[in-house]
Structure formats: structure tokens, C-alpha cells
Amino acid sequence: MVSPEKITNTRQTCWQTSSFSPAVLPTTLHISLTQPCQKKNEICNTPCHILCRKTHDSTKPFPLMNYSALKDTKSTTPGLDNTCYKMFKHMSVKSLEIMLRLSNKIWFTEKIPSSWLHSIIVLIPKTHKPLQMLSSYRPISLTSNVCKLFEKMVVCRFKWFLDYYNILTLTQTGFRQRRKTTHHLLRLHEIIHKSLANKHNVLPVFVDVEKAYDMVNKTVIYLKLLISGITGRMFQFFRSFISNRTFQVRVGPTLSMTKLLENGTIQGSVLSPVFFSLMINDLPNTITSPSALYANAFCFWEHGSGITLLNQLCQRSLTRVCKWCDDNGFEARERLKQAITDLGLDFETTHIL
């Protein structure tokens, strides 16, 4: 009879191996965050902390009005601290002021409680999938609701900064206000409608980054935060928040041993979608084809009269997308190679122009 502890530890090891790539910085981005950097096709003699185009003033404390986010929060399963949102909704103003002083102290001292950096992974079986396969389970992270509430306050400043300085590409509609996938669908529909009217062809290519959050390289995120202008206290908080995270896998009432989260952003975190949006932000700039981006779903297309030329253009764009994935730590080369082969094209003879 196998003990419950052995089952949880085995599932933890298998899930960690299948979800995360080794936390190794890609060679093209192997630079120190405190040393002068060399970007491709660009000479840069300025340290990364001065390189940023804009600076962000994060010295102001959070006001009490930030707790208005409690009104829109839904009841979720609490993490290790067993604290739920309903407790905060029934707090008096004086109690919320005490919580606010605690949040501001964490913000200024940059010392995050260890319970905020720990998550419980629950594997939920997918419908009509064989239970003996690890891929048949969907991992759900249970984190501290107190931490999530503080994340909501931080993410308001983070999103404001990204929108005010137009850092995120216009093709990205994921996790952004007043932007929907409908906008991209209308764009593509208009292209197809006009092309059919002119008896032209349209060749769209859809790319989905599998296990997107789990494959994010932490060092690349740090670099892109700095280049985007996220410095000072906000950057230090993000760095402390992402690093030194731990997790356990729970099966029934049994918990596995605690392990370090070597790679990837935090499942279930309020900040993770914004981190990933910034991570994938420069992907559309690597190709010349019209494109659309929603979170980890990427689409580009070519239209014209000659199908042979369209195939060549899409092949070139796919190769560039493949190179971007390699440079940013995503394992996509073999899958993109299979996609190019399915199009009847030769992956090995494709050159990046």
C-alpha cells in the first residue's frame, strides 16, 4: 500500500518536471542586471538601471481608497493562512487602516512575509481524460488572499504606468481594459472579406504558447521590467515577489514536501497576467506580418494573390517566432518545426531575413 505522502511527493516531482524548464538564462540575454548591457543591433554603454526611458515614482504610500477593490472580489479558496475575502469585507474602517499600515510597511521595507511566497498546488482532473496521465490534471494554485489584496493595489499602479507610457503593444488585448478579442476578429474578418472580393488568398497562422506562465524565465522578466522603466521600489518588490517562492502539492488532506519554484510566474497571482503581457510584448515586433495577440495566443497572417509567396512569408515569420521563443526561454522549436512541416515547408532551409 503506497502512503499518501509518497503519492503527493511523486506528483509534485512529475508536475514540476513537466511544467518547468531549467532556470537558465538564454545565451542571447545572458547579461547582468547591474552591468552594462549589449543589445542586439544596438550599442548600449549605460547600466540597465539608468537605461530605462522613464522612471516611476513608487515612493508614495497606498491610500485607503485602494481597498475599494474589495467590493469586486469574489470568494476564492484561501491559501495556507486560511484567510478569505469575507473577513475583510466585514472589517471596520479602523481595522482596514491597520491593514493598510501593514501593506505600506511591506511596500517600503520590501520584506514580504514568507506565507505570501508560498502556494498550495491542487491538481484538478480534466473531464473525459485518463486519470493516470499527468497532463489530464489542471494545476490550481492556492495563495494568500491577503497577498492577493495587496497585489490588486500594486497592479493598479503597474497597469497605469504601462498604459500611460504606451509600453504594451497595441496588438495585445489580453488583460487590458476596453480591449477584446472581438477587435482582432473584426480585423481578420475585414481582411478575409476584402481578399475574397479581390479573389486573393489569406493565410493565417495561429500560435499558442503552451504552459506559458510555467515557462517564463525569471531573469528575462527582470530585464524587461528594467528596460520598460520599472525601477526603484516597484522593481525591488517585483523581484522579491517572484524570487524564492515555494510550493507544495496537495492530494486530499496530504501535503507533499516543500520545494522551490525555480522558474515561471506564480499561478493564481494577480500580477502574473501583467508580467506575462510584458514578457511577450516584443513578440509582434519580430515579424513584419500583421499580427494579433491575446495573452499567450498569437496570430499573424499574409494576404495576396500568390499562394507560394504567402507560404514563404509565413515560413519566415514562423522561423522568427521560433527564434524569439528560443531567446526568451520558451521551448517551442520542435512544435513550430512540426507546424512548418505540416504546411509542406522545409524548416531547415529557412533563413531569418
Side-chain angles (χ1 to χ4, degrees), residues 228-348:
S228 299
I230 304 297
T231 59
R233 182 165 288 111
M234 180 169 285
F235 174 77
Q236 294 301 329
F237 173 80
F238 288 159
R239 193 170 188 177
S240 301
F241 183 77
I242 296 175
S243 61
N244 300 322
R245 297 194 67 92
T246 57
F247 73 100
Q248 291 176 283
V249 174
R250 188 178 72 187
V251 177
T254 307
L255 289 173
S256 67
M257 64 179 70
T258 301
K259 284 194 175 182
L260 183 68
L261 188 65
E262 296 180 354
N263 214 22
T265 56
I266 306 93
Q267 290 281 354
S269 169
V270 180
L271 285 165
S272 290
V274 191
F275 284 149
F276 187 79
S277 295
L278 187 62
M279 179 72 183
I280 205 172
N281 187 54
D282 56 342
L283 175 57
N285 298 331
T286 61
I287 63 175
T288 57
S289 305
S291 61
L293 186 62
Y294 185 87
N296 62 322
F298 182 59
C299 171
F300 62 89
W301 58 86
E302 293 288 350
H303 60 95
S305 57
I307 190 65
T308 303
L309 177 60
L310 298 185
N311 282 336
Q312 293 175 354
L313 293 175
C314 287
Q315 183 180 17
R316 183 179 65 177
S317 295
L318 267 176
T319 307
R320 290 184 174 182
V321 171
C322 179
K323 185 178 184 303
W324 180 91
C325 291
D326 291 340
D327 292 346
N328 288 269
F330 292 98
E331 296 178 352
R333 188 172 186 83
E334 292 301 323
R335 294 186 180 275
L336 287 178
K337 180 178 179 179
Q338 183 63 42
I340 292 176
T341 305
D342 292 342
L343 289 174
L345 306 174
D346 188 1
F347 179 85
E348 299 299 336

Side-chain angles (χ1 to χ4, degrees), residues 9 13 53 58 89 96 101 117-118 135 156 164 197 206 225 248 268 285 315 348:
N9 290 331
T13 303
R53 296 167 298 176
S58 306
K89 290 182 179 180
L96 290 177
R101 287 200 296 269
L117 302 177
H118 187 78
S135 58
C156 288
Y164 185 81
F206 297 88
L225 284 169
Q248 291 176 283
N285 298 331
Q315 183 180 17
E348 299 299 336

Side-chain angles (χ1 to χ4, degrees), residues 42 46 66 70 72 74 76 94 150 160 186 194 211 226 239 242 247-248 263 281-282 294-295 298:
E42 178 180 350
T46 308
N66 282 119
L70 279 170
D72 301 326
K74 299 180 180 179
T76 58
K94 188 174 181 179
F150 183 63
W160 176 88
L186 290 175
K194 290 182 178 180
K211 299 177 182 177
L226 288 171
R239 193 170 188 177
I242 296 175
F247 73 100
Q248 291 176 283
N263 214 22
N281 187 54
D282 56 342
Y294 185 87
F298 182 59

